[in-house]
Amino acid sequence: MENRLFLKLGFDAFLLQVLLLLLYFHETSCIPSTYPTWHLSNEKPMDDMYPVIAPSGNPKPFIPLLAPSPLVPFTNTTVPKLSGQCLLNFSATETLMSMTAIDCWAPFAKQMANVICCPQLEATLAILIGQSSKDTNVLALNGTLAKYCLSDIEQILVGQGGSESLRHICTVHPANLTEGSCPAKDISEFETTVDTSKLLAACNKIDPVKECCNAICQNAVSEAATKIAMISTDFLGMPGSQVLPEQSARVRDCKTIVLRWLASKLHPANAKEVLRVLSNCNVNKVCPLEFPDMKYVANSCGNAISNKTACCLAMESYVSHLQKQSLVTNLQALDCATALEMKLRKSNITKDVYGLCHISLKDFSLQVGNQEFGCLLPSLPSDAIFDPSSGISFVCDLNDHIPAPWSSTSQMTASSCNKTIKIPALPAAASAQSGLYNDGVVHVFLIACSVALMMLM
């Protein structure tokens, strides 16, 4: 039995659902005022609350449905106006481009940016250039071609329903398609400098659960990037502790070249899986949320929490602002809980307010349907799923009720993958036999405010 479960409503029932959601949107803003910016290289030290990712044995995760109005198509079908100047082979990556458009579906690209849309777009750019290098023998575009090609890529994605604001949402510029400061872009120079057999052996097949801690492919990519960065004479003879910022930037740019070379050697589907796993290792280390000022929480929860009710009301109000920003993975939520705890401690709040106020990891993610059901994405790479009759869906966890952990000061400074908390790589099972759903499982629709309003006009 297919592990996707969709709730199909008639038109009248759908209208009722829209009305109910509009009442909810009236109480909680549908569109957040700020969104996190995508930074693939935004790394920070891991803390000891980062757990071992445990593979889930549950075969039927809950998948919410992104349902637009029946009057509005799921995707656009416009013919893109291409420049005619870009040499990238779009036909060889047609399936990949379609998947990217679905992952970056216009009404929800911002909410899915950090985990689904932008990692997929990054992988798409690397694969497009990598596959085209088979004909051009270079792993980068020049500045002029980069402008044309980025514009063409946007046109193709928008024509299939993708967001028109991907440059802004994912912070992508034409320079991201060039070699940047990396001194090597020719395939011949790359392959004479790098141990390509070792690199391909490490990254041809990677374990999506173990890679983030074992870093087998990541280390091979870093080693290759450092070697080609050292082609430049000013990189030679510099101890690692004295590497200058521009040299670090050069290694980062060379990592992009390495990933493009890998994409040229792998089938596009295989390359996409490898690149998405690598990006998710970085994604899951970083909390993408912006934390507003917490003076009100400090005032209410200070003095050893003299008033529990006032403290928890303040925490609930504060967390409600976080819930309007972005969908996050379960591991990102854990990182966000640790980041918020550190800020609370700096505000002289040392009591476990998470336990006191029953704050769980779901409280850090975008809420679906109402304020009781936070939607946590899996820590493994995931894509949205398009069905012409049902809509666009994605795997979402509403069942794993994991309390937000409040750690000791010594625990907060540790750094290791051997953690005490186990979080499943995939959500708990939520669907049941014969297409029905279990008790306690809520099936909801995410509907863009603009679409919902159109239904009532």
Coordinates of all heavy atoms in Angstrom, one line a residue, residues 187-250:
I187 N 38.8 20.8 -15.9 CA 38.7 19.4 -15.4 C 40.1 18.7 -15.5 O 40.4 18.0 -14.5 CB 37.7 18.6 -16.3 CG1 36.3 19.0 -16.0 CG2 37.9 17.1 -16.1 CD1 35.2 18.3 -16.7
S188 N 40.9 19.0 -16.5 CA 42.2 18.4 -16.6 C 43.1 18.8 -15.4 O 43.8 17.9 -14.8 CB 42.9 18.7 -17.9 OG 43.0 20.2 -18.0
E189 N 43.1 20.0 -15.1 CA 43.9 20.5 -13.9 C 43.3 19.9 -12.6 O 44.1 19.5 -11.7 CB 43.8 22.0 -13.9 CG 44.7 22.6 -12.8 CD 44.8 24.1 -12.8 OE1 43.8 24.7 -13.4 OE2 45.7 24.7 -12.3
F190 N 42.0 19.8 -12.5 CA 41.4 19.3 -11.3 C 41.8 17.8 -11.1 O 42.3 17.4 -10.0 CB 39.9 19.4 -11.4 CG 39.1 18.8 -10.2 CD1 38.7 19.6 -9.2 CD2 38.9 17.4 -10.1 CE1 38.0 19.1 -8.1 CE2 38.2 16.9 -9.1 CZ 37.8 17.7 -8.0
E191 N 41.7 17.0 -12.2 CA 42.0 15.6 -12.1 C 43.5 15.3 -11.9 O 43.8 14.2 -11.5 CB 41.4 14.9 -13.3 CG 39.8 15.0 -13.3 CD 39.2 14.2 -14.4 OE1 39.9 13.9 -15.4 OE2 38.0 14.0 -14.4
T192 N 44.4 16.2 -12.3 CA 45.8 15.9 -12.1 C 46.2 16.4 -10.7 O 47.3 16.0 -10.2 CB 46.6 16.7 -13.1 OG1 46.3 18.1 -13.1 CG2 46.4 16.2 -14.5
T193 N 45.4 17.1 -10.0 CA 45.7 17.6 -8.7 C 45.1 16.8 -7.6 O 45.7 16.6 -6.5 CB 45.2 19.1 -8.5 OG1 45.7 19.9 -9.6 CG2 45.6 19.7 -7.2
V194 N 43.9 16.3 -7.8 CA 43.1 15.6 -6.8 C 43.2 14.1 -7.0 O 43.3 13.6 -8.1 CB 41.7 16.1 -6.8 CG1 40.8 15.2 -5.9 CG2 41.6 17.5 -6.5
D195 N 43.2 13.4 -5.9 CA 43.1 11.9 -5.9 C 41.6 11.6 -6.2 O 40.8 11.4 -5.3 CB 43.5 11.3 -4.6 CG 43.6 9.8 -4.7 OD1 43.0 9.2 -5.6 OD2 44.2 9.1 -3.8
T196 N 41.3 11.5 -7.5 CA 39.9 11.4 -7.9 C 39.3 10.0 -7.5 O 38.1 9.9 -7.2 CB 39.7 11.7 -9.4 OG1 40.5 10.8 -10.1 CG2 40.0 13.1 -9.7
S197 N 40.1 9.0 -7.5 CA 39.6 7.7 -7.2 C 39.2 7.6 -5.7 O 38.1 7.1 -5.4 CB 40.7 6.6 -7.4 OG 41.0 6.6 -8.8
K198 N 40.0 8.2 -4.9 CA 39.7 8.3 -3.4 C 38.4 9.1 -3.2 O 37.6 8.8 -2.4 CB 40.9 8.9 -2.7 CG 40.7 9.0 -1.2 CD 41.9 9.7 -0.5 CE 41.6 9.9 1.0 NZ 42.8 10.5 1.6
L199 N 38.3 10.2 -3.9 CA 37.2 11.1 -3.7 C 35.9 10.4 -4.2 O 34.9 10.5 -3.5 CB 37.4 12.4 -4.6 CG 36.2 13.4 -4.6 CD1 35.9 13.9 -3.2 CD2 36.6 14.5 -5.6
L200 N 35.9 9.8 -5.3 CA 34.7 9.1 -5.8 C 34.3 7.9 -5.0 O 33.2 7.7 -4.7 CB 35.0 8.6 -7.3 CG 33.8 8.3 -8.1 CD1 32.8 9.5 -8.2 CD2 34.2 7.9 -9.5
A201 N 35.3 7.2 -4.4 CA 35.0 6.1 -3.6 C 34.4 6.5 -2.3 O 33.5 5.8 -1.8 CB 36.3 5.3 -3.2
A202 N 34.7 7.7 -1.8 CA 34.2 8.2 -0.5 C 32.8 8.7 -0.7 O 32.0 8.7 0.2 CB 35.1 9.3 0.1
C203 N 32.5 9.2 -1.9 CA 31.2 10.0 -2.1 C 30.3 9.3 -3.1 O 29.2 9.8 -3.3 CB 31.5 11.4 -2.6 SG 32.4 12.4 -1.4
N204 N 30.7 8.2 -3.7 CA 29.8 7.6 -4.7 C 28.5 7.1 -4.0 O 27.4 7.3 -4.5 CB 30.5 6.4 -5.3 CG 29.7 5.7 -6.4 OD1 28.9 6.4 -7.1 ND2 29.8 4.4 -6.5
K205 N 28.7 6.5 -2.8 CA 27.5 6.1 -2.0 C 27.8 6.5 -0.6 O 28.8 6.1 0.0 CB 27.3 4.6 -2.1 CG 26.9 4.0 -3.5 CD 26.7 2.5 -3.4 CE 26.2 2.0 -4.8 NZ 26.0 0.5 -4.8
I206 N 26.9 7.3 0.0 CA 27.0 7.7 1.4 C 25.8 7.4 2.2 O 24.7 7.4 1.7 CB 27.4 9.2 1.5 CG1 26.2 10.1 0.9 CG2 28.6 9.6 0.8 CD1 26.5 11.5 1.0
D207 N 26.0 7.1 3.4 CA 25.0 6.7 4.3 C 24.3 8.0 4.8 O 25.0 8.8 5.5 CB 25.5 5.9 5.5 CG 24.4 5.3 6.4 OD1 23.5 6.1 6.7 OD2 24.5 4.1 6.7
P208 N 23.0 8.2 4.5 CA 22.4 9.5 4.9 C 22.3 9.7 6.4 O 22.2 10.8 6.9 CB 21.0 9.4 4.2 CG 20.8 8.0 4.0 CD 22.1 7.4 3.8
V209 N 22.3 8.6 7.2 CA 22.2 8.7 8.6 C 23.6 8.9 9.3 O 23.8 9.7 10.2 CB 21.5 7.4 9.2 CG1 21.6 7.4 10.7 CG2 20.1 7.3 8.7
K210 N 24.6 8.1 8.8 CA 25.9 8.1 9.4 C 26.9 9.2 8.9 O 27.8 9.6 9.6 CB 26.6 6.7 9.3 CG 25.8 5.6 9.9 CD 26.5 4.3 9.7 CE 25.7 3.1 10.3 NZ 26.3 1.8 10.1
E211 N 26.6 9.7 7.7 CA 27.6 10.6 7.1 C 27.8 11.9 8.0 O 28.9 12.4 8.1 CB 27.1 11.0 5.7 CG 27.9 12.1 5.1 CD 29.4 11.8 4.8 OE1 29.7 10.6 4.6 OE2 30.2 12.7 4.8
C212 N 26.7 12.4 8.6 CA 26.9 13.7 9.3 C 27.8 13.5 10.5 O 28.4 14.5 10.9 CB 25.5 14.2 9.8 SG 24.4 14.6 8.4
C213 N 27.9 12.3 11.1 CA 28.9 12.1 12.2 C 30.2 11.5 11.7 O 31.3 11.9 12.2 CB 28.2 11.2 13.3 SG 27.0 12.1 14.3
N214 N 30.2 10.6 10.8 CA 31.4 10.0 10.3 C 32.1 10.9 9.3 O 33.4 10.8 9.2 CB 31.1 8.6 9.6 CG 30.5 7.6 10.6 OD1 30.6 7.8 11.8 ND2 29.9 6.6 10.1
A215 N 31.4 11.7 8.6 CA 32.0 12.7 7.6 C 33.0 12.0 6.7 O 34.0 12.6 6.4 CB 32.7 13.8 8.4
I216 N 32.7 10.9 6.1 CA 33.6 10.2 5.2 C 33.7 11.0 3.9 O 34.7 11.4 3.4 CB 33.1 8.8 4.9 CG1 33.2 8.0 6.2 CG2 33.9 8.2 3.8 CD1 32.6 6.6 6.1
C217 N 32.5 11.3 3.3 CA 32.5 12.1 2.0 C 32.9 13.5 2.3 O 33.7 14.1 1.5 CB 31.1 12.0 1.4 SG 31.0 13.0 -0.1
Q218 N 32.4 14.1 3.4 CA 32.7 15.5 3.7 C 34.2 15.7 3.9 O 34.8 16.7 3.4 CB 32.0 15.9 5.0 CG 30.5 16.0 4.9 CD 29.9 16.2 6.3 OE1 29.7 17.3 6.7 NE2 29.5 15.1 6.9
N219 N 34.9 14.8 4.5 CA 36.4 14.9 4.7 C 37.1 14.8 3.4 O 38.1 15.5 3.1 CB 36.9 13.9 5.7 CG 36.5 14.1 7.1 OD1 36.1 15.3 7.5 ND2 36.5 13.1 7.9
A220 N 36.6 13.9 2.5 CA 37.2 13.7 1.2 C 37.0 15.0 0.3 O 37.9 15.4 -0.4 CB 36.6 12.5 0.5
V221 N 35.8 15.6 0.4 CA 35.6 16.9 -0.3 C 36.5 18.0 0.2 O 37.1 18.7 -0.6 CB 34.1 17.3 -0.2 CG1 33.9 18.7 -0.7 CG2 33.2 16.3 -0.9
S222 N 36.6 18.1 1.5 CA 37.5 19.1 2.1 C 39.0 18.9 1.7 O 39.7 19.9 1.4 CB 37.4 19.1 3.7 OG 36.1 19.4 4.1
E223 N 39.4 17.7 1.7 CA 40.8 17.4 1.3 C 41.0 17.8 -0.1 O 42.1 18.4 -0.5 CB 41.1 15.9 1.5 CG 42.5 15.5 1.2 CD 42.7 14.0 1.3 OE1 42.0 13.3 2.1 OE2 43.7 13.5 0.7
A224 N 40.1 17.4 -1.0 CA 40.3 17.8 -2.4 C 40.2 19.3 -2.6 O 41.0 19.8 -3.4 CB 39.1 17.1 -3.2
A225 N 39.3 19.9 -1.9 CA 39.2 21.4 -2.0 C 40.5 22.1 -1.6 O 40.9 23.1 -2.2 CB 38.0 21.9 -1.2
T226 N 41.1 21.6 -0.5 CA 42.3 22.2 0.0 C 43.4 22.0 -1.0 O 44.3 22.9 -1.2 CB 42.7 21.6 1.4 OG1 41.6 21.8 2.3 CG2 43.9 22.2 1.9
K227 N 43.5 20.9 -1.6 CA 44.6 20.6 -2.6 C 44.5 21.5 -3.8 O 45.5 22.1 -4.2 CB 44.5 19.1 -3.1 CG 45.1 18.1 -2.1 CD 45.2 16.8 -2.7 CE 45.8 15.8 -1.8 NZ 45.9 14.4 -2.4
I228 N 43.3 21.7 -4.3 CA 43.2 22.6 -5.5 C 43.3 24.1 -5.1 O 43.8 25.0 -5.9 CB 41.9 22.4 -6.3 CG1 40.7 22.6 -5.5 CG2 41.9 21.0 -6.9 CD1 39.4 22.4 -6.3
A229 N 43.0 24.4 -3.8 CA 43.2 25.8 -3.3 C 44.7 26.1 -3.2 O 45.1 27.3 -3.4 CB 42.5 26.0 -2.0
M230 N 45.5 25.1 -2.9 CA 46.9 25.3 -2.8 C 47.7 25.4 -4.1 O 48.9 25.7 -4.1 CB 47.5 24.1 -2.0 CG 47.0 24.1 -0.5 SD 47.7 22.6 0.4 CE 49.4 22.9 0.4
I231 N 46.9 25.3 -5.2 CA 47.6 25.6 -6.5 C 48.1 27.1 -6.5 O 49.1 27.4 -7.1 CB 46.6 25.4 -7.6 CG1 46.2 23.9 -7.8 CG2 47.1 25.9 -9.0 CD1 45.2 23.6 -8.8
S232 N 47.4 27.9 -5.8 CA 47.8 29.3 -5.7 C 49.0 29.4 -4.8 O 49.0 28.8 -3.7 CB 46.6 30.2 -5.2 OG 47.0 31.5 -5.0
T233 N 50.0 30.2 -5.2 CA 51.3 30.2 -4.4 C 51.1 30.8 -3.0 O 51.9 30.4 -2.1 CB 52.3 31.1 -5.2 OG1 51.8 32.4 -5.4 CG2 52.7 30.4 -6.5
D234 N 50.2 31.8 -2.8 CA 50.1 32.4 -1.5 C 49.4 31.5 -0.5 O 49.3 31.8 0.7 CB 49.3 33.7 -1.6 CG 47.9 33.5 -2.0 OD1 47.6 32.4 -2.6 OD2 47.1 34.4 -1.9
F235 N 49.1 30.3 -0.9 CA 48.5 29.3 0.0 C 49.5 28.3 0.6 O 49.3 27.6 1.5 CB 47.4 28.5 -0.7 CG 46.3 28.0 0.2 CD1 45.1 28.8 0.4 CD2 46.4 26.8 0.9 CE1 44.1 28.4 1.2 CE2 45.3 26.4 1.7 CZ 44.2 27.2 1.9
L236 N 50.7 28.3 0.0 CA 51.7 27.4 0.4 C 52.5 27.8 1.6 O 52.7 29.0 1.9 CB 52.7 27.2 -0.8 CG 52.2 26.7 -2.1 CD1 53.2 26.7 -3.2 CD2 51.6 25.3 -1.9
G237 N 52.8 26.8 2.4 CA 53.6 27.1 3.6 C 52.9 27.8 4.7 O 53.6 28.2 5.7
M238 N 51.6 27.8 4.7 CA 50.9 28.5 5.8 C 50.3 27.4 6.8 O 49.5 26.6 6.4 CB 49.7 29.3 5.2 CG 50.1 30.5 4.4 SD 51.0 31.7 5.3 CE 49.6 32.3 6.3
P239 N 50.7 27.5 8.1 CA 50.2 26.6 9.0 C 48.7 26.7 9.1 O 48.2 27.8 8.9 CB 50.9 27.0 10.4 CG 52.1 27.8 9.9 CD 51.7 28.4 8.6
G240 N 48.0 25.6 9.5 CA 46.5 25.7 9.5 C 46.0 26.7 10.5 O 45.0 27.4 10.2
S241 N 46.7 27.0 11.6 CA 46.2 28.0 12.6 C 46.4 29.4 12.1 O 45.8 30.3 12.7 CB 47.0 27.8 13.9 OG 48.4 28.0 13.6
Q242 N 47.1 29.6 11.0 CA 47.4 30.9 10.5 C 46.7 31.2 9.1 O 47.0 32.1 8.4 CB 48.9 31.2 10.3 CG 49.6 31.1 11.6 CD 51.1 31.3 11.5 OE1 51.6 31.8 10.4 NE2 51.9 31.0 12.5
V243 N 45.8 30.3 8.7 CA 45.1 30.5 7.5 C 44.2 31.8 7.5 O 43.5 32.0 8.5 CB 44.1 29.3 7.2 CG1 43.3 29.6 6.0 CG2 45.0 28.0 7.0
L244 N 44.4 32.6 6.5 CA 43.7 33.9 6.5 C 42.3 33.7 6.0 O 42.0 32.7 5.3 CB 44.5 34.8 5.5 CG 46.0 35.1 5.9 CD1 46.6 36.0 4.8 CD2 46.0 35.8 7.2
P245 N 41.4 34.7 6.3 CA 40.0 34.6 5.8 C 39.9 34.4 4.3 O 39.0 33.6 3.9 CB 39.5 36.0 6.3 CG 40.3 36.4 7.4 CD 41.7 35.9 7.1
E246 N 40.7 35.1 3.5 CA 40.6 34.9 2.1 C 41.0 33.5 1.7 O 40.5 33.0 0.7 CB 41.4 36.0 1.3 CG 42.9 35.9 1.6 CD 43.3 36.9 2.8 OE1 42.4 37.2 3.6 OE2 44.4 37.3 2.8
Q247 N 41.9 32.9 2.4 CA 42.2 31.5 2.1 C 41.1 30.5 2.5 O 40.9 29.6 1.8 CB 43.5 31.2 2.8 CG 44.7 31.9 2.3 CD 46.0 31.8 3.2 OE1 45.9 31.6 4.4 NE2 47.1 31.9 2.6
S248 N 40.4 30.8 3.6 CA 39.3 30.0 4.0 C 38.2 30.1 2.9 O 37.5 29.1 2.6 CB 38.8 30.4 5.3 OG 39.7 30.2 6.3
A249 N 38.0 31.4 2.4 CA 37.0 31.6 1.4 C 37.4 30.8 0.1 O 36.5 30.3 -0.6 CB 36.9 33.1 1.1
R250 N 38.6 30.7 -0.2 CA 39.1 30.0 -1.4 C 38.8 28.5 -1.2 O 38.3 27.9 -2.2 CB 40.6 30.2 -1.6 CG 41.1 29.6 -2.9 CD 42.6 30.0 -3.0 NE 42.8 31.4 -3.0 CZ 44.0 32.0 -2.6 NH1 45.0 31.2 -2.3 NH2 44.1 33.3 -2.6

